Amino acid sequence: MASPTRALMNNLKPFLASTTHRTDIILSHTSRLLSTTSGVNSLLTTLFFTLTFLHAQLTRLLSARYESLALSIASRASETLLPGETLIATIQPPHLTLASWCAAVKAAGDTVEDGWILMRLFGLFGVYSGARKVYVEGKRDPVIKSLVWAKILARAGFQVLENGAFLVRRGVLRGEKWTARERGLWVWSGRLWLADTVLELLRLARVRQLKYNEDFGAEEVDEDEKDKKDFSIQSRALEKRWWRSLYINLGWLPPTFHLSFYDEERSPVSEGWVGFSGMVPGLIALQDAWRETA
């Protein structure tokens, strides 16, 4: 009769073998993902906005803790005061573990953001490549053609300004003039990113108005046939791609709107919403990159 230990080991062997196999598949897939630019970029995007959202929640909890502590001190002090007396005091916030976590998450987010922006440092080459493709292939619809070229100009301007702001932040561009311009560079790069996002939403609206005809490979038809022919969706996959593009750009709206303010404290978009909405395009891009490296 087999001992209980041997029986347990025999039962565990298939489980351990299966777990090892699944772990190997996941690690190999992750390695392939991180070997691609799109994979790293989507991962950094998702991680940055996740940390932003987490920092917002930790900050909210920390503020609530400090407020509760202040009210507790005030209630105790009021018991020792005579009627009509007022106590004015400045209290140093105590060190809390939550405060350390909040600072650590903020530092991690800043580090990830630097890596995320660094990956876009040579983005002008991608803008040129996209512009060249549009110039060579062209667009049949004049509205879409105008929107696409406007997007290219906005993206190019955004990339130039963001590169400048990032290089000032990292101390590559030095001097009082550059330092004084840094905030403006960040703000205007954010505004151009917002413009690019809005233009893309308008392009998607036009594509839908054309019943997905222009950008999704339908054959061109004669003017006389336009009233007779119904432009149908080419496939479910293309319709799904349109919706994913819509979700991505709707996700970019709150962060880009937030970045367009000189004083982000006056932005109606909170840090929590910036993080939450930014995770949407990040996760969609990460899902696409994961599928492409399967």
Side-chain angles (χ1 to χ4, degrees):
M1 182 176 179
S3 65
T5 303
R6 179 172 295 182
L8 178 62
M9 290 301 297
N10 290 335
N11 291 331
L12 282 176
K13 280 182 180 179
F15 172 76
L16 292 174
S18 176
T19 302
T20 302
H21 179 65
R22 286 198 300 268
T23 302
D24 176 67
I25 291 175
I26 293 173
L27 292 177
S28 298
H29 196 165
T30 303
S31 177
R32 293 195 300 273
L33 176 75
L34 296 179
S35 67
T36 64
T37 302
S38 60
V40 175
N41 184 64
S42 60
L43 182 62
L44 289 176
T45 303
T46 305
L47 185 57
F48 168 67
F49 285 106
T50 300
L51 290 170
T52 300
F53 179 76
L54 180 59
H55 179 261
Q57 304 314 307
L58 290 175
T59 301
R60 182 176 59 82
L61 292 174
L62 185 62
S63 298
R65 289 284 297 276
Y66 283 151
E67 183 179 354
S68 176
L69 182 62
L71 290 174
S72 175
I73 294 173
S75 63
R76 292 177 184 176
S78 64
E79 296 175 358
T80 63
L81 296 177
L82 297 174
E85 287 186 324
T86 303
L87 174 66
I88 300 176
T90 301
I91 304 172
Q92 286 294 110
H95 177 75
L96 299 175
T97 303
L98 187 59
S100 297
W101 276 101
C102 192
V105 170
K106 175 62 175 173
D110 290 343
T111 303
V112 172
E113 183 186 25
D114 281 350
W116 183 45
I117 296 175
L118 183 63
M119 289 199 66
R120 294 200 298 269
L121 197 61
F122 300 100
L124 282 173
F125 291 101
V127 175
Y128 169 77
S129 178
R132 185 178 183 279
K133 182 179 179 181
V134 172
Y135 177 77
V136 172
E137 297 180 0
K139 297 289 182 181
R140 294 194 301 271
D141 183 69
V143 176
I144 288 184
K145 184 176 182 179
S146 300
L147 289 171
V148 168
W149 279 112
K151 272 174 52 63
I152 290 171
L153 292 175
R155 179 62 62 88
F158 155 75
Q159 197 62 69
V160 170
L161 293 175
E162 186 189 60
N163 286 356
F166 181 71
L167 293 176
V168 173
R169 175 195 284 182
R170 304 313 302 170
V172 178
L173 297 177
R174 295 178 175 272
E176 293 182 1
K177 289 185 178 180
W178 282 113
T179 302
R181 293 172 182 170
E182 181 183 359
R183 185 59 195 155
L185 291 172
W186 284 117
V187 169
W188 280 102
S189 69
R191 289 175 179 176
L192 287 174
W193 190 0
L194 174 62
D196 176 55
T197 302
V198 172
L199 288 167
E200 176 61 13
L201 288 171
L202 292 174
R203 188 193 70 83
L204 289 172
R206 178 59 176 169
V207 169
R208 186 176 179 86
Q209 187 180 35
L210 294 173
K211 298 185 179 178
Y212 307 91
N213 178 59
E214 174 65 26
D215 272 16
F216 296 117
E219 294 295 330
E220 187 175 8
V221 296
D222 296 331
E223 291 292 332
D224 295 334
E225 296 178 359
K226 282 188 176 180
D227 295 334
K228 302 176 183 178
K229 194 162 185 175
D230 178 33
F231 296 114
S232 60
I233 298 172
Q234 300 300 299
S235 69
R236 288 294 177 186
L238 296 178
E239 182 183 9
K240 182 179 179 181
R241 193 179 85 182
W242 186 91
W243 281 106
R244 289 173 77 84
S245 296
L246 180 65
Y247 295 147
I248 287 172
N249 285 278
L250 288 176
W252 282 131
L253 272 180
T256 54
F257 184 72
H258 179 76
L259 292 173
S260 66
F261 282 79
Y262 269 95
D263 183 5
E264 293 182 359
E265 295 295 327
R266 303 181 67 178
S267 168
V269 182
S270 66
E271 184 185 24
W273 274 109
V274 169
F276 180 78
S277 61
M279 283 191 288
V280 174
L283 288 170
I284 292 176
L286 185 60
Q287 186 182 41
D288 290 340
W290 183 266
R291 188 184 301 110
E292 290 170 2
T293 54

